[in-house]
Amino acid sequence: MTNTDHSGDHPRANGMPTLGLGTWQLDDPEQCAESVANALEMGYRHVDTAQGYDNEEFVGRGIEAADVDRREVFLATKVSTSNLAYDDVIETTKTSLEKLGVDAVDLLYVHWPINTYDTEETLAAFDDLYDDGYIERVGVSNFEPRHIEEAVETLDAPIFANQVECHPLLPQTELRAVCAAHEIELVAYSPLARGKVFDVPEIGSVAEKHDVSEAQVSLAWLREKGITAIPKATGTDHLADNFASLSLELDDEDVTTLDSIDSVHREVDPDAAPWNLQ
């Protein structure tokens, strides 16, 4: 499914850099803009935000401040669950573009298939935004297999990616198989399980073997599985450590060790989440 190439210094999955910067909770204007600019100047070329993060304007400032051509930046945002009626999708996406300071985004996600989400109405708006050139790719987020199947049947545009929580403690095996069958990329949010990966013995042993951090091991494991990761980071130390994961090559023994982790742990688990409403 994933055609990974090494154009420039960054591995890509069908044009999307396989390591990006997540910006959840980066709602301080100066810190957010600075983190985005620092990440881009460090080599990151994928930035992920959302209407619900209340920071699209600050992300846009960071992109503008960085000494990097905007055309080199893969930019993604998400439509909030309260904005998924047809007219609201159109209107709020255009507002997001204005806040980000761009004419189009590389990827627009349905943030969650809940609240005002309606398969036909919501996705019709995404199709129209795609046809009109406001978005380069259609994405979904927090979709379970049944939502994927419905969306594939409904959309005219291809689904490019499904963004979900994924890490060695939540490998999402079934969902990955469904996405692969439909040639949909998987993008992992909370790829470090919000710090839990630092406490897992198997991850620690692989990190010690390679003299790297547990964060790098987890990110390299995701890349090994063909999954794009968007870890959040603010300080330059964490940005640099995450970015260094691109140089870490896990061997078969490492992957087997990480695959053997006998724990399933989900950090993001609201009651209204699709997996809790089977």
Side-chain angles (χ1 to χ4, degrees), residues 172-188:
Q172 296 280 19
T173 307
E174 179 192 359
L175 187 59
R176 280 163 44 201
V178 172
C179 288
H182 291 291
E183 298 186 335
I184 296 170
E185 298 292 340
L186 206 75
V187 177

Side-chain angles (χ1 to χ4, degrees), residues 221-264:
W221 177 85
L222 287 164
R223 190 176 73 250
E224 181 71 26
K225 300 295 184 182
I227 300 168
T228 293
I230 49 167
K232 183 190 77 171
T234 50
T236 53
D237 287 351
H238 285 158
L239 286 168
D241 188 66
N242 291 342
F243 196 72
S245 69
L246 294 172
S247 301
L248 174 60
E249 295 294 337
L250 301 177
D251 60 33
D252 291 344
E253 181 183 22
D254 299 330
V255 174
T256 299
T257 297
L258 297 170
D259 287 348
S260 73
I261 294 172
D262 187 21
S263 171
V264 176

Side-chain angles (χ1 to χ4, degrees), residues 12-273:
R12 292 174 180 263
N14 292 327
M16 175 177 61
T18 58
L19 181 68
L21 174 68
T23 62
W24 178 69
Q25 289 190 328
L26 291 185
D27 51 8
D28 177 87
E30 291 186 9
Q31 184 185 61
C32 179
E34 182 178 3
S35 294
V36 170
N38 286 341
L40 291 174
E41 294 189 351
M42 192 176 289
Y44 287 79
R45 291 295 181 268
H46 178 177
V47 180
D48 180 274
T49 183
Q51 294 175 354
Y53 299 170
D54 293 324
N55 65 5
E56 289 173 316
E57 181 181 352
F58 318 141
V59 168
R61 288 184 202 166
I63 293 172
E64 185 178 9
D67 188 21
V68 173
D69 191 316
R70 160 67 187 101
R71 292 170 296 184
E72 294 183 20
V73 181
F74 187 98
L75 179 60
T77 192
K78 311 176 195 75
V79 180
S80 293
T81 63
S82 57
N83 298 331
L84 294 172
Y86 179 90
D87 289 341
D88 293 338
V89 171
I90 302 295
E91 181 180 344
T92 63
T93 296
K94 291 180 179 178
T95 299
S96 291
L97 298 180
E98 291 175 11
K99 289 181 177 179
L100 289 163
V102 297
D103 296 325
V105 287
D106 297 275
L107 178 56
L108 183 72
Y109 294 98
V110 177
H111 205 154
W112 294 80
I114 60 174
N115 199 354
T116 61
Y117 177 73
D118 177 87
T119 304
E120 294 193 1
E121 183 178 355
T122 300
L123 299 181
F126 273 68
D127 266 330
D128 287 346
L129 288 167
Y130 177 82
D131 290 340
D132 292 340
Y134 291 106
I135 62 177
E136 297 292 332
R137 299 166 183 81
V138 172
V140 296
S141 183
N142 298 300
F143 274 41
E144 290 286 274
R146 69 184 187 278
H147 302 104
I148 292 286
E149 300 293 352
E150 291 172 356
V152 167
E153 288 294 316
T154 305
L155 273 164
D156 291 330
I159 300 176
F160 179 79
N162 183 20
Q163 184 179 132
V164 297
E165 181 180 350
C166 189
H167 42 72
L169 299 174
L170 187 66
Q172 296 280 19
T173 307
E174 179 192 359
L175 187 59
R176 280 163 44 201
V178 172
C179 288
H182 291 291
E183 298 186 335
I184 296 170
E185 298 292 340
L186 206 75
V187 177
Y189 68 74
S190 299
L192 308 180
R194 303 207 175 153
K196 297 294 192 302
V197 300
F198 291 93
D199 303 321
V200 180
E202 293 89 344
I203 299 174
S205 67
V206 175
E208 185 176 2
K209 170 183 169 181
H210 291 278
D211 193 25
V212 297
S213 69
E214 290 86 351
Q216 288 188 41
V217 170
S218 299
L219 295 173
W221 177 85
L222 287 164
R223 190 176 73 250
E224 181 71 26
K225 300 295 184 182
I227 300 168
T228 293
I230 49 167
K232 183 190 77 171
T234 50
T236 53
D237 287 351
H238 285 158
L239 286 168
D241 188 66
N242 291 342
F243 196 72
S245 69
L246 294 172
S247 301
L248 174 60
E249 295 294 337
L250 301 177
D251 60 33
D252 291 344
E253 181 183 22
D254 299 330
V255 174
T256 299
T257 297
L258 297 170
D259 287 348
S260 73
I261 294 172
D262 187 21
S263 171
V264 176
H265 176 81
R266 190 186 287 274
E267 279 290 319
V268 180
D269 195 21
D271 290 341

